Amino acid sequence: MIPTPIRPGMHVTLRQLKVFESVVRLGNIARAAEELYLSQSTVSTQVKHLTEVVGEPLFQQVARKFVLTDIGADLERACKEMFASWARFETAAADAKELRRGSLRLACVTTARYFIPRLLGLFSDRFPGIDVRLEFANHHNVVERLARNDDDLYVMTMPPRQFDVTAQSFLDNPLVVIASPRHPLAKMSNVSLQRLAEEPILLRERGSGTRMAAERYFREQGVELNIKIEVGSNEDLKLAVAGGMGVTVISQHALTQDATRPQLAVLDVSGFPIERSWYVVHPGDRRLSVAARTCFEFLEREARGILASTSRALGTEAGDSRLT
């Protein structure tokens, strides 16, 4: 059969198409009217209006039966495809609403790797239908990803002020000063910032949120840092400090328990820990997907409780001053 061309610019309603599909499938107007809870005259009127819009007859009557014309057959196929597509959409929408299916793109600053996997593991256990893609980068690169709108949510400690963003704090992020337990300052109490600044300072690379916070704090206190070494990761920073190369400012979350962790001491320094927070962020003008909104609310409500219980289980309470 050669498809009959349909003229463009038609204004057809879903109701007209549904009535047409029912008449074709059930074979007559009376049964279609019964199925759709409409009067027979309403069904006839809808079919008539649809025929006028198409501009050609959709049926021809043969021995008291409705038989589709060529263009009527084309329209029937189009209806089947459209209603099947709509049914798939309804299923997908229902799945998304009930979180049986979905996807989530999350970009985090590198220090968040010490706790975000634990949180997302529990999130995935609770919502197994959501596929999570996780990216880690330093603060500068995460902000660039936010500016490009690359991801659904962003986890950082310093939400940018140059963009319109929605930022919700969900976890404390105290910054502490650490050194080797053999360091002279490890045995001192209430070390002044001026005394600390006499020591070689190791910090993360430029663009790191922890470095920016540390430099800002010392600058506000009128103390100039003696930065000797820049290190590209928290793990290398801890190894360097444990080796006696100097002292550093680091997130307390980076001081996790593991078999290969070097010996470190948290110093008693005036003004420390610096109290900061972790934030989950998204562009202010962006409407979140159901999966992203659920994760946003999950972090806001449950992160503190989850990590507190995990810390107790590992014996790493926030109050510990010496890690050996």
Side-chain angles (χ1 to χ4, degrees), residues 4-310:
T4 305
I6 298 178
R7 61 188 176 84
M10 294 183 181
H11 299 287
V12 177
T13 67
L14 285 174
R15 186 184 190 192
Q16 289 170 346
L17 295 176
K18 182 60 179 174
V19 168
F20 170 77
E21 186 274 336
S22 295
V23 171
V24 173
R25 176 168 45 82
L26 298 174
N28 62 65
I29 287 177
R31 293 176 63 187
E34 182 178 349
E35 178 183 78
L36 298 171
Y37 299 99
L38 298 173
S39 66
Q40 293 187 32
S41 61
T42 298
V43 172
S44 296
T45 299
Q46 292 295 321
V47 171
K48 179 182 178 182
H49 287 167
L50 182 59
T51 301
E52 291 173 350
V53 171
V54 172
E56 295 187 36
L58 302 176
F59 299 97
Q60 57 184 347
Q61 194 165 0
V62 179
R64 295 187 178 182
K65 291 183 179 180
F66 285 111
V67 178
L68 287 170
T69 61
D70 288 348
I71 196 169
D74 289 341
L75 182 58
E76 180 194 21
R77 284 192 294 273
C79 285
K80 287 181 178 179
E81 293 173 2
M82 183 174 61
F83 290 137
S85 179
W86 181 257
R88 289 192 295 271
F89 169 76
E90 285 184 323
T91 299
D95 286 348
K97 185 175 182 179
E98 298 178 20
L99 293 174
R100 290 193 293 263
R101 171 170 81 170
S103 62
L104 175 68
R105 296 168 300 171
L106 187 66
C108 308
V109 297
T110 51
T111 303
R113 68 172 68 248
Y114 295 103
F115 62 87
I116 278 292
R118 278 179 280 164
L119 295 175
L120 291 183
L122 291 173
F123 179 80
S124 294
D125 287 344
R126 192 173 301 179
F127 306 104
I130 297 179
D131 296 325
V132 180
R133 192 192 75 186
L134 182 59
E135 298 282 347
F136 289 105
N138 68 21
H139 176 85
H140 175 77
N141 290 334
V142 169
V143 170
E144 286 189 339
R145 294 181 68 92
L146 190 155
R148 295 193 303 265
N149 209 12
D150 286 348
D151 311 276
D152 297 306
L153 297 174
Y154 305 82
V155 172
M156 61 184 70
T157 57
M158 302 172 67
R161 298 178 179 178
Q162 65 268 38
F163 307 128
D164 175 22
V165 300
T166 296
Q168 174 62 52
S169 64
F170 68 92
L171 189 65
D172 295 334
N173 181 36
L175 298 185
V176 296
V177 182
I178 62 171
S180 165
R182 301 181 300 278
H183 196 285
L185 295 184
K187 299 177 176 60
M188 296 176 59
S189 299
N190 198 27
V191 177
S192 69
L193 295 181
Q194 289 77 12
R195 173 66 183 86
L196 182 69
E198 296 174 6
E199 298 295 324
I201 303 292
L202 287 67
L203 287 178
R204 287 282 305 277
E205 78 286 359
R206 294 187 183 278
S208 158
T210 300
R211 174 170 178 156
M212 287 189 286
E215 289 181 326
R216 177 185 298 175
Y217 179 74
F218 279 89
R219 187 168 56 250
E220 290 172 350
Q221 303 304 313
V223 177
E224 184 176 352
L225 288 177
N226 178 24
I227 301 175
K228 289 296 185 181
I229 300 176
E230 293 184 358
V231 183
S233 74
N234 286 327
E235 295 308 304
D236 290 339
L237 193 62
K238 290 187 290 184
L239 287 169
V241 168
M245 296 178 67
V247 301
T248 191
V249 177
I250 197 169
S251 168
Q252 189 168 276
H253 288 285
L255 304 179
T256 56
Q257 288 270 5
D258 64 69
T260 60
R261 176 183 46 76
Q263 291 187 334
L264 298 167
V266 177
L267 305 186
D268 181 7
V269 177
S270 176
F272 279 83
I274 301 174
E275 299 298 337
R276 301 173 76 221
S277 295
W278 286 102
Y279 293 87
V280 56
V281 179
H282 66 84
D285 59 352
R286 177 169 182 170
R287 182 175 181 179
L288 293 180
S289 68
V290 177
R293 185 170 67 250
T294 301
C295 185
F296 188 97
E297 294 170 352
F298 171 83
L299 293 176
E300 178 186 0
R301 291 194 313 266
E302 304 187 39
R304 284 184 174 87
I306 290 171
L307 293 181
S309 61
T310 304

